[in-house]
Amino acid sequence: MQIIEIEEPNSGISSSNEVIVGIDFGTTNSLIAVSRNGLVQMITLENGTYLCPSIISIDGKQILVGDKSHKNSINSIKRYLAKNSEEIRTNQALRTDIEGLILSDDVPKFLVGEELVTLTELASSIFQHLITNASKQLDAEVKKAVITVPAYFDDNARGQIILAAKLAGIEVLRVIAEPTAAAYAYGANKKKEGCYLIYDLGGGTFDISLLNMMQGVLQVVTTGGDSMIGGDDIDELFARYISDKYSLNYDYDLVLEVKKLKHNLSQATEVILQHGKQEILITREEFESAIEPLIDKTIAITVNTIQEVENLDLDGIILVGGSTRIPLIRQKLAEKFDTEIFDNLDPDQIVAMGAAMHAENLSTVAGNLLIDAVSLSIGIELYGGLVEKIILRNTPIPFAVTKEFTTQSDNQTGIKIHIVQGEREMVQDCLSLAQFELTGIRPQKAGKARIEVTFAIDADGVLSVSACDKETSRMSNISLKPSYNVTEQTILENLN
Ligand code: ADP
Ligand code: MG
């Protein structure tokens, strides 16, 4: 894979009065937002809220979006994307009894009227719905967007979401990970360093991501979670508890009823369940005892996910997803982790907010070269004119890495960092990008000094290289834009 130029420099980026929106295509709910002059505005949809249920219903020839009451619906359509018929059939979390769903071919299809459409085409209706609402509310033609995808999505699943957006006529300027968007909403991008845990409990999935901010580059270090744990399971547990304790029939209506109670119990400490003529007082304690095993499971998954990360020093936990409004979650996290918990932004909106902020940033940085991978390796010169590759070709960006180097001779007090680009082993056969020097290293025996060199490429393709002497903390750094559209051939042709 060569670099992917999504846009030519200066072309895709908007002029100043054009809006670029941020879209969070969620499993349970999807949202759209715009940021102007640093202020994020959530778009209110036809249903009077910011939340578009990610539900597609088929009514004859019509595709309806977000209609919860319709019988023939696919809930959580995001779960079905990028799956083949076999995978859908064997996945217990997915319904297959939906009228019109055809799983006989490899690619699942849907019968809409007399036409066969793919699930990605159906999902594009959600993007269409969001964009139409935004255009109306903003009184502008909204065509460009930054969209978010789960951090763990593979290229195929990512590709299907991008395609769904494109089919809705959207020009996708950038795709960012959902946890990255959340960290962005809290301004993590404004800090130089930082390490954040993103705890995302939505309607149907639980995702945990560890992000590291290095030299202004926000990177996903590791991810974990459980795609079968979410708010829907909390509803079921709570409904089972109530049905057992108060001898009520466990059915769909009861689940819907207790969902409302659950929402209220995030604020109130007791609520009334109206059942026929019966009024039952339910306390938050009862609710918590019913769902505690599930919350404990999410905490255990969180601990497991990050336990292999060495020298972990958390700067905070960011709460994402509607279910994190449940006070017990915050309480359990606070008991387990001694770090700040960020919860003052709305956990439903935070991903769309971050995407919108990223979008605004794109529209104000003129001449961005939109790339998502490094075309030729970037490395540094070692003793004897050899090259050590630090960032390998085709590494997706943003990316950051730190390596340790040392001195070659006794009493050496300075070290030259020569940054080169290319696949060849010798410096003379590569493109020289820049050099700088780190001085003030304490004179000592060769091989004693510990020089940490960090390479970081941000989402705009800017490379920052810094060298730091671990002992004295002296630091030296440089920022530059490597060549993204060069080939090995051009490098060799231009060397002499
Ligand atoms: P997703 O990322 O899967 O699209 P959301 O972040 O929109 O999901 O979260 C939806 C879930 O949040 C639902 O299960 C809903 O019941 C739950 N939720 C929303 N508000 C509250 C609340 N006040 N208390 C508890 N759970 C809530
Ligand atoms: Mg979500």
Side-chain angles (χ1 to χ4, degrees), residues 24 26 178 200 320-321 351:
D24 167 17
E178 288 165 12
D200 180 350
V320 181
V351 171

Side-chain angles (χ1 to χ4, degrees), residues 57-64 70 111-115 117 122:
S57 319
I58 313 295
D59 195 353
K61 282 186 183 163
Q62 248 194 324
I63 299 173
L64 306 172
H70 206 278
L111 194 62
V112 181
E114 267 133 50
E115 226 183 306
V117 298
L122 283 187

Side-chain angles (χ1 to χ4, degrees), residues 390-462:
I390 311 276
I391 302 179
L392 295 180
R393 64 183 302 185
N394 292 334
T395 299
I397 66 167
F399 179 80
V401 64
T402 297
K403 289 220 163 179
E404 211 168 85
F405 292 90
T406 187
T407 43
Q408 283 299 326
S409 45
D410 290 348
N411 300 324
Q412 184 179 339
T413 55
I415 190 164
K416 183 184 78 175
I417 309 281
H418 181 197
I419 308 155
V420 298
Q421 193 174 16
E423 305 313 310
R424 309 290 159 133
E425 280 176 7
M426 302 302 291
V427 165
Q428 68 207 47
D429 300 326
C430 291
L431 190 72
S432 168
L433 290 180
Q435 20 187 321
F436 67 99
E437 221 163 316
L438 177 70
T439 54
I441 301 169
R442 190 171 64 82
Q444 52 191 325
K445 278 217 158 310
K448 278 270 176 220
R450 286 166 61 214
I451 316 293
E452 243 180 36
V453 180
T454 299
F455 278 65
I457 302 188
D458 69 15
D460 298 319
V462 176

